[in-house]
Amino acid sequence: MVTEKLREVEGKIREACERSGRDPEEVTLVAVSKTKPVEMIREAYEAGVRDFGENKVQEMMEKQGQLPDDIRWHMIGHLQRNKVKYLIGKVHLIHSVDSLRLAREISDQSVKRDVDTDILIEVNIAGEESKFGISGGEALTLVEEAAKLPRIHIRGLMVVAPFVEDPEENRTCFRELKELSVDISRKKIDNIYMYVLSMGMTGDYEVAIEEGSTMVRVGTGIFGERNYS
Ligand SMILES: *Cc1c(COP(=O)(O)O)cnc(C)c1O
């Protein structure tokens, strides 16, 4: 079941790449496994997936202990500073950095552990009040400040687009994140090489790829609906 759905998603990623003249190698599929059991993750692993996304530190840690070491774990959810210490050294990429205070804590803990940590800056492009993320206008300042911190590396930007019925409605949002990423890259800030654009979820990853996404975070499309009860 997981494998079939995964192949379907992979096929759609390839088609979106073809439509937009992109190389599918440029797009990483992060399978969002939050709330889903280890057995389902293992099935996706056996079908070839190595990148998994979780939004809670404790859940990620519990799953990590039961699964192969070569999995690249992505923290995609809002991160509290007091949880950072558990994550450092165990996470491939933190997608959800939206304040200098959080970036500082990640830097401090990385120094303490003597490891490097890759991060993305989460931008709230649509300016939705209910969402985490820094505004587009503040993103450059945050990148400049965070770039000075030791042992963290900003690899790009991330957005959680609004929930919409028609994915076309999010095209502008994706385009704006891409433009922001290009603008920031042009500033040639020391230490900063922006190449990751984490955008697109089950409902809109094809449009996101057409607009330049290099990382899509797909949960429901692979593992089915989540049950939070
Ligand atoms: C849950 C989640 C996803 C995956 O959502 P689906 O619609 O199930 O694909 C992607 N990104 C973030 C930040 C999430 O929290």
Side-chain angles (χ1 to χ4, degrees):
M1 190 53 185
V2 169
T3 307
E4 273 167 41
K5 296 184 91 167
L6 173 68
R7 297 293 177 242
E8 207 173 292
V9 170
E10 289 170 338
K12 284 181 179 166
I13 291 174
R14 271 195 305 276
E15 285 164 21
C17 285
E18 270 164 34
R19 278 198 299 279
S20 45
R22 301 187 58 202
D23 178 354
E25 293 284 309
E26 289 172 23
V27 181
T28 302
L29 170 61
V30 177
V32 176
S33 47
K34 62 189 186 197
T35 80
K36 297 296 177 184
V38 164
E39 298 75 63
M40 286 180 104
I41 302 178
R42 201 168 277 129
E43 186 176 344
Y45 177 90
E46 263 145 34
V49 179
R50 290 296 176 272
D51 293 89
F52 289 91
E54 290 283 339
N55 68 341
K56 294 207 168 71
V57 174
Q58 195 184 339
E59 186 176 343
M60 182 188 280
M61 297 298 120
E62 282 170 9
K63 288 174 173 173
Q64 239 177 42
Q66 303 173 60
L67 288 157
D69 296 338
D70 62 340
I71 289 180
R72 293 179 290 267
W73 292 95
H74 296 250
M75 174 45 64
I76 61 171
H78 182 65
L79 184 56
Q80 288 167 325
R81 278 180 303 142
N82 62 358
K83 299 278 173 65
V84 168
K85 55 180 178 287
Y86 305 113
L87 203 59
I88 298 307
K90 296 183 172 165
V91 67
H92 175 69
L93 182 64
I94 301 174
H95 292 230
S96 44
V97 178
D98 63 355
S99 73
L100 189 57
R101 270 156 47 109
L102 179 58
R104 262 202 203 108
E105 177 64 13
I106 295 169
S107 169
D108 289 349
Q109 294 294 336
S110 301
V111 169
K112 216 181 239 178
R113 296 280 181 106
D114 197 21
V115 294
D116 291 287
T117 306
D118 286 345
I119 64 165
L120 304 178
I121 302 297
E122 180 174 355
V123 185
N124 184 350
I125 282 281
E128 287 181 291
E129 276 184 29
S130 59
K131 289 263 170 73
F132 295 110
I134 193 161
S135 75
E138 293 167 319
L140 174 61
T141 315
L142 176 55
V143 172
E144 284 173 332
E145 290 302 314
K148 298 174 191 160
L149 300 171
R151 309 223 69 168
I152 66 171
H153 305 282
I154 304 168
R155 302 305 189 193
L157 304 178
M158 179 268 223
V159 71
V160 179
F163 180 79
V164 290
E165 289 295 329
D166 176 4
E168 282 300 326
E169 290 176 49
N170 280 337
R171 190 178 288 280
T172 315
C173 168
F174 297 140
R175 195 168 291 171
E176 283 174 14
L177 193 75
K178 167 84 187 185
E179 282 167 8
L180 183 61
S181 155
V182 171
D183 286 349
I184 295 174
S185 297
R186 286 214 182 99
K187 305 277 182 197
K188 302 234 181 310
I189 304 160
D190 275 356
N191 247 324
I192 299 295
Y193 176 49
M194 307 272 274
Y195 58 93
V196 177
L197 267 184
S198 171
M199 56 186 199
M201 303 171 35
T202 297
D204 55 19
Y205 66 90
E206 293 163 86
V207 172
I209 290 169
E210 289 167 12
E211 295 301 329
S213 173
T214 69
M215 215 172 249
V216 292
R217 309 177 308 268
V218 180
T220 312
I222 296 170
F223 298 110
E225 295 289 337
R226 285 177 293 276
N227 183 355
Y228 286 102
S229 65

